[in-house]
Amino acid sequence: MTDREAFLAGDRPDDVAVFLHEAAVSNPEALESYAESVEGGVVLVLPGEDGRSAFQSATDIDPMALAQEAMDTEGHIDDDLTGGTCPVAEDDPDGDHTVRFVFAFAEAQNEDVGGLYADGDVIHAYAACACGQRYSEKWVAGDE
């Protein structure tokens, strides 16, 4: 099982996952020893603070600012964290709607909160599209 698969299954709740599209990173080869190569880019799964720092260093975007900005716009993020469907792509079919970055973390199951949180650990994923749109999706770990 890869680090990403373990993260998505809910087995790495203290870690964060980061997808970096190859066009958004100046030297993706530099990440090869730390990252999983995927079609279109790389995925890193790192301990929480290290992952947040790595995301900010690679993208010049504060991951918590991305989350804050993206949380109000629901979109689809691929369940493997390597892409998504921009919510404005339908209204702008000629634009570039390639996912540049995905930042994800898990939140522990919390039956008191209810909803998804009662069903298991919840993956929170935030995407930045090439068009500038930021959006999010969340799901129960292991369900997607």
Side-chain angles (χ1 to χ4, degrees), residues 1-12 15 17 34-38 43-46 79-82:
M1 177 179 282
T2 67
D3 289 346
R4 179 171 47 122
E5 290 168 336
F7 173 83
L8 292 169
D11 297 338
R12 296 188 61 163
D15 293 346
Y34 307 100
E36 175 187 353
S37 291
V38 295
V43 175
L44 295 97
V45 177
L46 299 165
D79 60 2
D80 64 0
L81 303 176
T82 63

Side-chain angles (χ1 to χ4, degrees), residues 101-113:
F101 316 113
V102 173
F103 177 81
F105 65 89
E107 190 169 345
Q109 180 175 2
N110 186 341
E111 293 181 14
D112 293 337
V113 173

Side-chain angles (χ1 to χ4, degrees), residues 1-76:
M1 177 179 282
T2 67
D3 289 346
R4 179 171 47 122
E5 290 168 336
F7 173 83
L8 292 169
D11 297 338
R12 296 188 61 163
D14 296 327
D15 293 346
V16 298
V18 174
F19 167 73
L20 304 169
H21 189 275
E22 62 194 3
V25 180
S26 61
N27 185 8
E29 296 81 27
L31 300 171
E32 284 180 357
S33 62
Y34 307 100
E36 175 187 353
S37 291
V38 295
E39 186 175 335
V42 296
V43 175
L44 295 97
V45 177
L46 299 165
E49 191 56 44
D50 292 340
R52 286 186 285 278
S53 293
F55 181 84
Q56 187 159 354
S57 292
T59 66
D60 282 331
I61 299 170
D62 178 313
M64 294 298 104
L66 171 64
Q68 185 72 31
E69 189 176 332
M71 73 172 42
D72 293 330
T73 304
E74 192 171 316
H76 171 72

Side-chain angles (χ1 to χ4, degrees), residues 71 105-126 137-141 143:
M71 73 172 42
F105 65 89
E107 190 169 345
Q109 180 175 2
N110 186 341
E111 293 181 14
D112 293 337
V113 173
L116 283 179
Y117 300 95
D119 296 336
D121 296 343
V122 175
I123 303 292
H124 293 258
Y126 305 94
E137 186 175 17
K138 59 185 171 184
W139 60 87
V140 174
D143 279 2

Side-chain angles (χ1 to χ4, degrees), residues 77-102:
I77 297 174
D78 295 346
D79 60 2
D80 64 0
L81 303 176
T82 63
T85 304
C86 179
V88 301
E90 194 172 296
D91 295 330
D92 179 24
D94 297 326
D96 180 359
H97 296 287
T98 304
V99 172
R100 296 292 199 204
F101 316 113
V102 173

